[in-house]
Amino acid sequence: MQRPDFLQKAIISHQLSKEEIVQLLGNPQYDQALFTAADEVRQKFVGDEVHLRGLIEFSNICKNNCLYCGLRRDNLKLKRYRMSPEEIVALARRAVKDFGFKTIVMQSGEDLWFTPERLKPILAEIKKLDVAITLSIGEKSFEEYKAYKEAGADRYLIRIETTDKDLYHRLDPGMSWDERKECLVNLGKLGYEVGSGIMVGLPGQTLESIADDLLFLQDMQIDMAGIGPFIPHPDTPLKDEKGRAFELSLRTMAIMRLLLPDINIPATTAMETLHPEGRIIALQCGANVIMPNVTEGEYRQLYELYPGKAALNETPLHSKTSIGARIEAIGRKIGTGYGSHKKL
Ligand code: 5AD
Ligand code: SF4
């Protein structure tokens, strides 16, 4: 299909109206034009390198009760774990020394055991490995974020999930959308590279609302955007909802690349869960990052945000060889540096 005018313009201006975004989200006939446009913009602004981040899921304990998430506190079926500081550092060491990751992503539920007093020495220890550290541990105070920054954290991931406040408050009982946004603002003030993002295909979410999300993320000038399909989890209140919006997630991600041309965009695990080549497809529709899971042993299966995720039987070794080969097979190469977002 020929590229429509407004898409051709967006490649240069990185602007799209809400109506244009809704058009792109709702019309499969634009897919080819959209995906090739996003791929071109990705190539031009961030090149062919695919940055790998080693993901450590160090605790599945969470005080929150998000309706969509398998780690929600009311899910009593889930066996909970919390790695010891030594285990976390050992996994990080292996990810760096044996597998060559240049970024370690430390993710957990909102587990109050990890206070600055406990987490700072872990960060300091990992920092000695000469890696970039990304934290993804939820909503904390300005002071706590500051403490982690000083201890060596460079980046922080906290998805806004949706900018539809009513939807957010329905799905995240007891939480406040304004406070979550404040977290993004605080992280930016503290000099973190800030990652955010959304889920696509949430019950009650409209195309208009996804368009608002994209414009919000653009407006916030975030450094990274994780966009993945919502996948219903059987042990949550949303178990009978539809979700699984693979194509719509891809479109959303591709539009994000047009709006924020030089940021880091991961090909998300949720996309791979819905399609055997989901991440490779995403890399060809605007993404430039993959976050292989380096969590080992029983813990891997227990970090079940959504079903099917744990079944990705991928070891750190597998990540470097099989994913590496697949990246090269599509004419890309594995990033050699830290893969930071350098704001233009
Ligand atoms: N399906 C897809 N993504 C999910 N997340 C949580 N639960 C689900 C689900 N059921 C995502 C949220 C969260 C991130 C860590 O995982 O966006 O921010
Ligand atoms: Fe906890 Fe995050 Fe899951 Fe919400 S999405 S229940 S905050 S782990």
Side-chain angles (χ1 to χ4, degrees):
M1 172 204 195
Q2 227 196 320
R3 192 172 278 169
D5 266 357
F6 72 98
L7 200 50
Q8 187 57 37
K9 265 196 251 148
I11 292 178
I12 312 296
S13 68
H14 309 294
Q15 303 296 328
L16 285 164
S17 70
K18 182 171 172 181
E19 292 68 33
E20 289 164 345
I21 295 175
V22 170
Q23 282 290 310
L24 290 170
L25 290 172
N27 286 306
Q29 83 255 26
Y30 289 133
D31 279 356
Q32 213 200 326
L34 171 62
F35 296 152
T36 55
D39 199 46
E40 266 176 50
V41 170
R42 185 272 310 154
Q43 218 276 332
K44 179 167 167 212
F45 283 84
V46 296
D48 283 336
E49 289 198 332
V50 176
H51 303 289
L52 300 183
R53 325 291 199 195
L55 173 67
I56 302 177
E57 297 157 332
F58 63 92
S59 166
N60 71 351
I61 296 170
C62 189
K63 72 174 176 64
N64 292 334
N65 219 9
C66 308
L67 264 52
Y68 42 80
C69 177
L71 307 192
R72 67 198 303 272
R73 68 164 184 265
D74 283 356
N75 180 10
L76 302 180
K77 276 198 187 165
L78 181 66
K79 181 175 161 192
R80 305 284 170 165
Y81 72 89
R82 174 185 292 136
M83 287 184 198
S84 68
E86 295 72 29
E87 283 177 295
I88 301 170
V89 173
L91 272 183
R93 194 166 287 139
R94 181 136 47 174
V96 177
K97 293 231 166 20
D98 297 352
F99 303 113
F101 288 103
K102 303 252 177 330
T103 296
I104 296 296
V105 181
M106 298 175 60
Q107 187 172 80
S108 69
E110 290 204 12
D111 179 352
L112 297 177
W113 189 86
F114 286 97
T115 56
E117 200 187 0
R118 290 185 170 125
L119 197 50
K120 275 166 58 183
I122 301 174
L123 295 172
E125 211 44 51
I126 295 177
K127 203 61 193 172
K128 288 186 195 156
L129 300 167
D130 193 22
V131 280
I133 300 180
T134 306
L135 274 182
S136 177
I137 59 175
E139 296 184 25
K140 310 285 174 192
S141 68
F142 183 89
E143 289 308 317
E144 200 167 337
Y145 286 151
K146 186 160 177 270
Y148 298 139
K149 187 78 181 45
E150 286 164 2
D154 305 282
R155 310 178 186 145
Y156 204 102
L157 306 179
I158 180 163
R159 287 185 177 175
I160 197 73
E161 314 295 3
T162 170
T163 53
D164 176 337
K165 288 193 192 190
D166 291 338
L167 180 60
Y168 183 87
H169 292 131
R170 274 204 304 281
L171 296 179
D172 301 82
M175 296 172 76
S176 145
W177 190 90
D178 288 318
E179 282 172 23
R180 199 161 183 87
K181 182 185 169 191
E182 192 62 23
C183 289
L184 288 172
V185 172
N186 287 341
L187 290 162
K189 280 187 194 153
L190 286 163
Y192 279 94
E193 274 182 61
V194 182
S196 192
I198 59 160
M199 276 178 290
V200 171
L202 290 166
Q205 186 185 42
T206 60
L207 298 185
E208 284 73 16
S209 150
I210 296 172
D212 286 335
D213 298 344
L214 284 163
L215 293 169
F216 169 82
L217 295 170
Q218 181 184 38
D219 195 46
M220 294 290 287
Q221 295 194 41
I222 52 153
D223 302 290
M224 311 174 263
I227 290 164
F230 156 64
I231 302 171
H233 188 296
D235 303 321
T236 66
L238 302 185
K239 61 177 188 294
D240 297 322
E241 299 293 339
K242 199 162 154 282
R244 312 182 72 83
F246 180 73
E247 302 288 337
L248 187 57
S249 300
L250 266 188
R251 287 178 206 136
T252 307
M253 194 198 71
I255 298 166
M256 187 83 272
R257 173 60 73 199
L258 300 180
L259 296 176
L260 288 170
D262 67 347
I263 65 167
N264 283 319
I265 300 183
T268 54
T269 309
M271 289 192 187
E272 184 89 349
T273 304
L274 294 187
H275 189 297
E277 290 293 324
R279 285 183 302 192
I280 291 294
I281 296 170
L283 286 178
Q284 296 172 287
C285 298
N288 70 321
V289 169
I290 291 189
M291 297 166 57
N293 194 341
V294 299
T295 311
E296 286 183 37
E298 189 199 15
Y299 300 144
R300 169 79 67 111
Q301 310 161 31
L302 297 177
Y303 203 86
E304 198 189 43
L305 302 166
Y306 46 82
K309 176 179 173 289
L312 295 171
N313 54 353
E314 171 176 281
T315 62
L317 176 63
H318 190 247
S319 309
K320 289 296 278 192
T321 50
S322 146
I323 295 182
R326 286 193 284 157
I327 288 170
E328 277 161 20
I330 57 166
R332 305 279 279 278
K333 45 187 184 269
I334 295 182
T336 50
Y338 295 114
S340 305
H341 173 228
K342 293 174 198 70
K343 281 204 165 94
L344 291 181

